[in-house]
Amino acid sequence: MHSIFARINNTSALLSSCMMALLAAIALSTLVFTARPEGNVSVASVQVYSGNTRRYATKRQDLAFVDFNITADFAPLFNWNTKQIFLYLQAEYNTTTGIKNEAVIWDRIIRRKEEANVNVIGKNKYNLRDLSTNFKNAPPASYSLKYNIMPYVGALTYGEAARTSEPVAFPPRKTRV
Amino acid sequence: MFTEELKAFRRLGFRHVLLQVLNFASVIASGLMIWKGLGIVTNSESPIVVVLSGSMEPAFYRGDLLFLTNPSSEQYKTGDITVYKIPGAEIPIVHRVMETHDVPKSIDIRKYTKSKSKSKPQPGEDSKQDNQLLLTKGDNNYVDDIELYQGLEWLEKKHIVGKVRGFLPYVGYVTIAMNDCPQLKYALLGGLGLLALIQRE
């Protein structure tokens, strides 16, 4: 019990047990918070044009361009264990052929409580396209704003903040911009 | 330096050495059992991974440890952070799912994946869930992962190792350091082995 080796052994064992207990306590403490943020999503317009995607420069397919308004407040989700919140707006629809689709068209990372009040009038960042390369079989789509909380230590949680009140249809393809 | 230790060994006899070796082997075997048991419980071939690239910053940095599960009865959803391996590339990639398309069994998925294989899917391979086609993107990248797919149009469930459930920062840096500098790995393993053999309690 008095050699240096034994002392180092005991100290490091105690250090690692305390560290693990502390991390477990931090991770479990965030289960106490059950705040649900509220928000509003509305789609101003949807337009469908024919375009190329990056991979095959000569393959034409229909792309949908969506203009939307989002207002939401995520401040209640921030606590000592929140590292960042990842927001994403996704379009959801089931085609008449039976395929269920969900595609993220816009996202944002919030790292501090001061930025947590979101008020965005924007358009989609990412291409919205269908597997069958056109939107003829696509019924009106719902758009929902979801979030993912990433902690400093512990489990990741997901949730939905807002959704369009009624589905928004895809118009027929326009040939001229 | 070790003459005293060697003398003590000779005094205790051959059996003692065998006992030490057995102890060593049982420690290794129980470690392996825990790892494989964890793999079975989470249904993932590698339930704990270390983040290797910076493409998910600021959420995950190089050296963070991730805990994965791979539920076979659940579909992947957009926003899930998944670890996948492209056949032909050895490195698992940690990125977020951007698009999911659930294709029911009645439709042949090969129409969308442009797969050249003529073989039908194996009977035991699939669960009651529909097939899925996924597209992923790293948070810190501007564009999606199409270039990383090595010719594939979409990812399927079979490429995915698991979905990230929990996270521990910095702990995995030891693995990265050992990979970048192999002398460190040999030094550590050699030191541990020597310590296990000369310990007498």
Side-chain angles (χ1 to χ4, degrees):
Chain A
M1 187 50 211
H2 298 293
S3 69
I4 290 195
F5 184 66
R7 284 194 178 121
I8 295 180
N9 207 356
N10 283 333
T11 322
S12 60
L14 187 63
L15 180 67
S16 50
S17 326
C18 285
M19 187 77 85
M20 286 199 287
L22 181 66
L23 293 179
I26 294 179
L28 290 176
S29 68
T30 46
L31 292 176
V32 174
F33 296 97
T34 50
R36 291 217 157 291
E38 291 292 324
N40 196 345
V41 171
S42 61
V43 171
S45 74
V46 180
Q47 284 150 353
V48 175
Y49 294 110
S50 178
N52 304 330
T53 49
R54 261 174 35 247
R55 185 178 236 194
Y56 302 110
T58 50
K59 175 175 150 192
R60 311 284 294 183
Q61 59 178 337
D62 284 357
L63 302 174
F65 295 91
V66 181
D67 292 311
F68 52 81
N69 292 358
I70 296 179
T71 51
D73 184 20
F74 290 97
L77 291 178
F78 274 87
N79 53 51
W80 58 76
N81 197 18
T82 309
K83 179 149 83 166
Q84 73 178 46
I85 297 185
F86 185 86
L87 301 178
Y88 50 108
L89 180 70
Q90 67 178 33
E92 304 163 7
Y93 61 97
N94 300 349
T95 61
T96 47
T97 46
I99 302 181
K100 301 196 196 64
N101 304 282
E102 290 183 7
V104 172
I105 55 174
W106 176 89
D107 59 26
R108 178 184 274 194
I109 294 180
I110 304 180
R111 302 175 74 178
R112 295 174 312 143
K113 198 170 182 151
E114 291 78 24
E115 304 166 1
N117 209 338
V118 172
N119 191 346
V120 170
I121 301 177
K123 59 180 172 46
N124 54 325
K125 266 191 199 176
Y126 307 115
N127 284 331
L128 178 54
R129 59 205 159 113
D130 189 69
L131 276 182
S132 63
T133 73
N134 57 47
F135 283 98
K136 295 196 182 75
N137 286 333
S142 308
Y143 293 82
S144 57
L145 180 69
K146 299 198 171 172
Y147 60 89
N148 175 203
I149 306 178
M150 275 171 271
Y152 282 109
V153 169
L156 276 57
T157 47
Y158 291 84
E160 181 175 309
R163 182 171 269 269
T164 47
S165 44
E166 41 182 54
V168 178
F170 290 105
R173 171 180 33 177
K174 290 207 185 78
T175 45
R176 206 188 287 235
V177 176
Chain B
M1 186 171 54
F2 289 116
T3 42
E4 213 173 280
E5 251 71 358
L6 284 178
K7 263 193 265 182
F9 265 137
R10 233 166 271 146
R11 197 171 9 116
L12 289 170
F14 186 55
R15 264 203 172 177
H16 183 73
V17 175
L18 278 187
L19 200 64
Q20 291 287 62
V21 172
L22 198 63
N23 273 337
F24 194 50
S26 71
V27 165
I28 295 189
S30 51
L32 197 63
M33 280 199 299
I34 293 179
W35 175 254
K36 288 297 175 188
L38 206 59
I40 292 180
V41 163
T42 58
N43 193 25
S44 156
E45 61 177 20
S46 170
I48 304 185
V49 294
V50 176
V51 176
L52 295 172
S53 71
S55 56
M56 280 296 284
E57 293 182 13
F60 302 144
Y61 291 91
R62 246 170 80 89
D64 290 344
L65 209 67
L66 301 175
F67 299 97
L68 310 178
T69 62
N70 187 15
S72 60
S73 60
E74 250 178 62
Q75 302 283 68
Y76 287 101
K77 305 239 128 261
T78 52
D80 286 348
I81 306 178
T82 53
V83 178
Y84 62 90
K85 266 214 243 199
I86 301 281
E90 272 319 303
I91 318 176
I93 304 178
V94 184
H95 280 171
R96 196 185 287 270
V97 174
M98 285 315 228
E99 284 186 29
T100 65
H101 303 277
D102 296 359
V103 180
K105 294 274 178 45
S106 49
I107 302 181
D108 187 0
I109 205 173
R110 290 190 297 246
K111 180 164 64 159
Y112 298 114
T113 56
K114 296 191 179 53
S115 156
K116 304 272 192 325
S117 69
K118 300 278 193 305
S119 62
K120 295 240 182 303
Q122 274 74 26
E125 162 191 85
D126 224 338
S127 56
K128 322 117 207 165
Q129 300 293 326
D130 300 336
N131 285 323
Q132 279 192 301
L133 297 173
L134 308 169
L135 181 69
T136 58
K137 172 184 166 298
D139 288 350
N140 209 19
N141 297 343
Y142 283 117
V143 296
D144 57 35
D145 291 349
I146 278 281
E147 265 116 33
L148 293 173
Y149 287 175
Q150 307 228 353
L152 290 176
E153 286 272 342
W154 302 98
L155 280 185
E156 295 173 56
K157 281 217 265 194
K158 60 184 183 190
H159 298 126
I160 303 206
V161 174
K163 172 165 104 166
V164 175
R165 295 295 191 150
F167 158 81
L168 214 50
Y170 307 125
V171 176
Y173 214 80
V174 181
T175 337
I176 292 187
M178 289 208 298
N179 271 334
D180 284 346
C181 160
Q183 294 97 341
L184 183 60
K185 181 160 49 170
Y186 295 134
L188 215 66
L189 284 178
L192 277 176
L194 213 60
L195 220 63
L197 286 176
I198 33 184
Q199 283 281 41
R200 255 170 299 149
E201 37 280 318

